[in-house]
Amino acid sequence: MPVPPRHRGVAVKAAPPPSPPPGWLDWTGDKSWIGQITGLPDSALHAHFGMAILVLTALVLRRAPWDWRCWLTVLAIETLNEAYDLLQPFYPTDEGNLAASWSDMWATMLWPTVILLTFRWLGRRGERR
């Protein structure tokens, strides 16, 4: 258990982190809530949301999910998410370090990248038979 800081021999309570200002996007709190409701670990949520963004983008753009534009949309949204995690000052989380961000990026982009790189080839291979 951590020892509280002392000032002139008297224990000093650490100040709580500042709260987001009114109207500020509470994205960190929202992500935490989704994890608590689903019971899924952060890496699984990243994988599921990466795939959901890929499919939704394909539907909106009327493109195949293996189109580079769908993949690029997932990459852009995940990059914004990780930039927010690294820069947000309001919540003390383990998300604010590069190792965690790279891990999250890997979990989010793995399957969209596999789809981008293999599905077009698999489709052409199936047409030849």
Side-chain angles (χ1 to χ4, degrees), residues 1-7 9-15:
M1 179 170 205
V3 177
R6 296 188 164 274
H7 179 69
V10 177
V12 178
K13 244 186 183 179

Side-chain angles (χ1 to χ4, degrees), residues 47-65:
H48 292 312
F49 274 96
M51 289 300 295
I53 293 166
L54 183 74
V55 170
L56 289 172
T57 302
L59 291 171
V60 169
L61 297 180
R62 296 183 180 188
R63 302 269 180 195

Side-chain angles (χ1 to χ4, degrees), residues 19-28 30 84 90-91:
S19 297
W24 180 270
L25 177 67
D26 187 12
W27 182 233
T28 302
D30 294 342
Y84 178 85
F90 301 113
Y91 296 99

